[in-house]
Amino acid sequence: NSPAPLPERAIYGFALFLGSWFGFILYLIWAYVPETWLFSLGLTYWPQKYWAVALPVYLLVAVGIGYILLFGINMMSTAPLNSTHTITDNFAKKQQQKKFQEEAIPALRDIPISEVNRMFFLPEK
Amino acid sequence: MAEEQRFLSASGAPIALRRRQHSASCRELAVRGPRLQLRSLSAATSAVWLAAYGLFALSENSMVLSAAIFITLIGLIIYLHFVKIDQESLLVIGSLGIQVTSSYASGKESTTFIEMGQVKDVVINEAIHMQKVIYYLCILLQDPEDPQGVSEVVPLFQSSKPRLDCLIEMYKSCQEILEQRKTAPQSS
């Protein structure tokens, strides 16, 4: 799964390039060519030109709201100060106690908050 | 024995911590926040009244002025009675329990008592609050089924939000009382 260039990827890239140019030219024709000219060509069922302006505006407003929405979702999912999620979680509750071996580095575990507090804030004489 | 020390809150406001030792197993910690300042009260009132006068000048409706006076009075009463906490205190009685009291600016006091059997520990926890990470003192309540588990977290001093130096003093005071639980003989 390396990001190196491959022949298939070159073809996909070129197809997307042509497709996006085609889409852009089509959008410009839809927005700028007068309706009467389009009717005379037989293209009578295209959407109203109102949407050629409205859709980009909708998109930009959605992007702006997305910034605020993401910020809001972040604040909502932060645990409140009175929740036990600030102290522990499912993995810490179910962890197994490994036996203490002499002269070996102790196994990694979640240390309870009471112990951490005692170590930090109560000076040992 | 009472002593008062000055500290800063998390937002920079000056707070005062008063520690009293009533007996060997009873301690009281009281944190007093700054009182309502005259200048902030005048600023808020002037802003509301200027806005109301601007609306009156635009709409020529004199009810706007009476409404502004009414709103200022009711708003001040609601603020003093429900929002502005002057003093928060913590009373730790060794064998009995912990009492948390909040005194509002209007004189109202709201109290919570937690008996010692439910208290697992009093710790300094750090958590994300709005855009900051703050330290706060909290009581961990024991889970009845699981001796190692915590059923609930009760945060303390929520409106004065002392900083870590003040919290360490309070933590040490509380731990001196709570340690006596383990060495004291168990009563049936």
Side-chain angles (χ1 to χ4, degrees):
Chain A
N1 287 350
S2 75
L6 296 171
E8 295 88 31
R9 288 177 180 170
I11 295 174
Y12 300 153
F14 189 58
L16 278 175
F17 172 71
L18 287 181
S20 58
W21 263 114
F22 176 68
F24 185 52
I25 302 293
L26 197 63
Y27 173 74
L28 288 180
I29 292 173
W30 170 42
Y32 281 109
V33 170
E35 257 195 348
T36 45
W37 294 18
L38 290 175
F39 285 170
S40 68
L41 282 172
L43 306 165
T44 56
Y45 212 58
W46 278 22
Q48 284 184 326
K49 284 171 185 294
Y50 162 82
W51 293 108
V53 180
L55 285 178
V57 174
Y58 269 123
L59 194 65
L60 290 175
V61 171
V63 169
I65 289 183
Y67 275 112
I68 303 173
L69 192 72
L70 191 65
F71 189 65
I73 290 179
N74 255 322
M75 285 187 77
M76 279 176 63
S77 13
T78 310
L81 292 187
N82 64 346
S83 124
T84 51
H85 291 287
T86 55
I87 309 247
T88 183
D89 65 356
N90 271 335
F91 296 103
K93 284 183 200 154
K94 295 198 177 82
Q95 64 180 346
Q96 297 140 339
Q97 310 279 0
K98 297 221 173 71
K99 268 208 320 264
F100 176 70
Q101 290 172 328
E102 287 292 330
E103 308 239 337
I105 300 175
L108 196 65
R109 68 183 178 100
D110 185 52
I111 304 177
I113 185 170
S114 307
E115 224 174 292
V116 173
N117 264 253
R118 270 194 286 274
M119 193 208 78
F120 274 136
F121 304 124
L122 292 181
E124 298 295 322
K125 293 183 188 66
Chain B
M1 180 196 73
E3 45 176 67
E4 187 158 308
Q5 282 171 289
R6 300 211 181 281
F7 289 101
L8 284 181
S9 82
S11 51
I15 56 174
L17 168 71
R18 199 190 59 195
R19 281 184 287 187
R20 295 184 62 179
Q21 175 146 355
H22 295 284
S23 85
S25 61
C26 179
R27 288 255 174 98
E28 184 181 0
L29 303 158
V31 172
R32 231 169 1 113
R35 288 303 164 347
L36 180 64
Q37 307 273 17
L38 183 62
R39 55 171 178 247
S40 54
L41 178 64
S42 325
T45 313
S46 317
V48 172
W49 286 1
L50 273 174
Y53 189 72
L55 271 178
F56 168 69
L58 281 173
S59 66
E60 303 291 328
N61 183 6
S62 65
M63 279 300 291
V64 177
L65 298 173
S66 340
I69 296 177
F70 200 58
I71 287 175
T72 330
L73 277 174
I74 299 290
L76 181 65
I77 291 177
I78 290 180
Y79 177 69
L80 291 179
H81 195 67
F82 292 108
V83 175
K84 179 94 186 68
I85 294 184
D86 264 349
Q87 173 172 303
E88 290 165 303
S89 78
L90 186 72
L91 178 67
V92 184
I93 305 178
S95 49
L96 196 61
I98 302 183
Q99 174 169 291
V100 185
T101 315
S102 305
S103 321
Y104 291 81
S106 65
K108 168 173 110 166
E109 285 197 3
S110 105
T111 315
T112 318
F113 179 76
I114 303 167
E115 58 164 335
M116 211 37 119
Q118 287 179 343
V119 170
K120 183 166 186 280
D121 202 0
V122 172
V123 299
I124 299 179
N125 191 16
E126 55 182 312
I128 302 175
H129 175 70
M130 296 295 220
Q131 83 284 11
K132 289 198 277 230
V133 175
I134 57 164
Y135 290 98
Y136 62 104
L137 198 68
C138 58
I139 305 177
L140 303 179
L141 297 188
Q142 189 93 36
D143 195 4
E145 296 106 39
D146 176 19
Q148 302 293 324
V150 174
S151 76
E152 216 180 303
V153 172
V154 178
L156 304 172
F157 301 109
Q158 283 301 283
S159 85
S160 44
K161 289 201 177 58
R163 287 192 180 170
L164 191 59
D165 44 5
C166 182
L167 289 176
I168 294 180
E169 300 294 321
M170 296 198 271
Y171 175 74
K172 286 187 201 165
S173 296
C174 290
Q175 284 298 316
E176 279 171 27
I177 309 265
L178 291 177
E179 271 165 5
Q180 295 169 4
R181 276 193 304 178
K182 294 182 224 138
T183 55
Q186 296 286 339
S187 59
S188 56

